[in-house]
């Protein structure tokens, strides 16, 4: 699974540094959404020189590559999760569902909004939909 994410880094001309590998491993191991602070807490013992700004920069780079997706929550904190869409070997349009109990994030395939090109006089460039629910393990 991580090889797909590593290939995405390389395709975006980003080196797989030990810190980036550790960040990726953290998300794979946790299997749920995390804040930048969560990631920093997990990794600061492993790396003597690891600042929170470095975590933020790497998470943003991972999002730009399609490795991570931002998760919206009511508390307005910044959350990230692995984008499982990257595991299909190609980028494709999809949405995400977040378990409100354990924080697991899964893909939702298909989109009825895909063909909308105009809305209220605006030219639609993209859209974002996030579902919330309770995963099978937590039900």
């Amino acid at each position: 699974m991580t090889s797909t994410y590593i290939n995405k880094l390389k395709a975006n001309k980003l080196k797989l540094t030990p810190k980036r590998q550790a960040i990726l491993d953290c998300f794979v191991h946790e299997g749920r959404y995390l804040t930048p602070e969560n990631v920093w807490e997990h990794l600061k013992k492993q790396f003597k020189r690891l600042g929170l700004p470095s975590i933020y920069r790497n998470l943003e780079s991972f999002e730009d590559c399609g490795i991570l997706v931002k998760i919206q929550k009511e508390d307005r904190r910044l959350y990230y999760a692995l984008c499982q869409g990257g595991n299909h070997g190609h980028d494709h349009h999809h949405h995400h569902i977040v378990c409100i109990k354990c924080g697991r994030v899964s893909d939702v395939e298909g989109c009825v909004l895909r063909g909308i090109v105009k809305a209220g006089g605006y030219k639609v460039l993209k859209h974002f939909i996030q579902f919330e629910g309770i995963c099978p393990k937590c039900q």
Side-chain angles (χ1 to χ4, degrees), residues 22-48:
I23 291 169
L24 186 55
D25 290 344
C26 182
F27 277 96
V28 170
H29 179 262
E30 288 296 316
R32 62 183 180 86
Y33 61 78
L34 300 168
T35 66
E37 292 82 6
N38 295 145
V39 176
W40 184 64
E41 285 294 327
H42 278 92
L43 301 181
K44 68 181 183 180
K45 294 174 189 145
Q46 187 177 345
F47 297 97
K48 291 181 181 179

Side-chain angles (χ1 to χ4, degrees), residues 1 6 9 17 23 39-40 51 54 60 62 64 67-68 76 80 83 97 113 115 133 135 137:
M1 171 163 69
I6 292 168
L9 279 176
T17 64
I23 291 169
V39 176
W40 184 64
S54 176
E60 287 173 12
F62 279 27
D64 291 343
I67 295 170
L68 296 179
R76 296 185 179 212
Y80 289 93
C83 183
I97 186 163
L113 301 176
C135 74
K137 286 185 180 179

